[in-house]
Amino acid sequence: QVQLVESGGGSVQAGGSLRLSCEASGLSGGHYCMGWYRKVPGKEREGVALIETARTPDYADSVKGRFTISLDNAKTTSYLQMNSLTPEDTAMYYCAADSYYRLGSFCGYHGMDSWGKGTQVTISV
């Protein structure tokens, strides 16, 4: 069974940085598809960043140039480095993984079947 545990959320002032971590257990195959999402009450969940082993990451337009996703394959841990944060980045951030992903499969924002419980990020002016 896949389990994802996020950490690193918190409260910072606008312009600051945070680094989120997502430690996954139960994933197999050696190639992974993982993503970060965020949810604000009253709004739809947004895919923020997506990473696939040995592929170029993908980012939502709202975070391009500010957020960086990375994947430590050996540790099955994904990271989201968030810089130049603004109050609009305030949200609950969730890590997700496609537990059925194998090398050559499609990795997309809508293909995730395993989710963490989330970590809150709050940005103040």
Side-chain angles (χ1 to χ4, degrees), residues 28-78:
S28 61
H31 295 81
Y32 309 109
C33 170
M34 298 181 71
W36 285 93
Y37 300 72
R38 63 188 182 188
K39 179 74 171 66
V40 176
K43 293 187 177 181
E44 291 189 0
R45 184 177 62 200
E46 176 188 19
V48 172
L50 187 71
I51 191 163
E52 180 181 0
T53 301
R55 292 288 185 93
T56 303
D58 183 80
Y59 299 95
D61 288 342
S62 57
V63 306
K64 277 182 182 176
R66 301 187 299 121
F67 289 13
T68 302
I69 189 172
S70 59
L71 174 62
D72 185 327
N73 230 49
K75 297 181 180 178
T76 56
T77 298
S78 174

Side-chain angles (χ1 to χ4, degrees), residues 92-113:
M92 183 71 80
Y93 282 72
Y94 297 89
C95 173
D98 179 351
S99 66
Y100 295 97
Y101 176 82
R102 295 295 181 266
L103 179 63
S105 300
F106 176 74
C107 176
Y109 286 102
H110 298 292
M112 306 301 176
D113 63 296

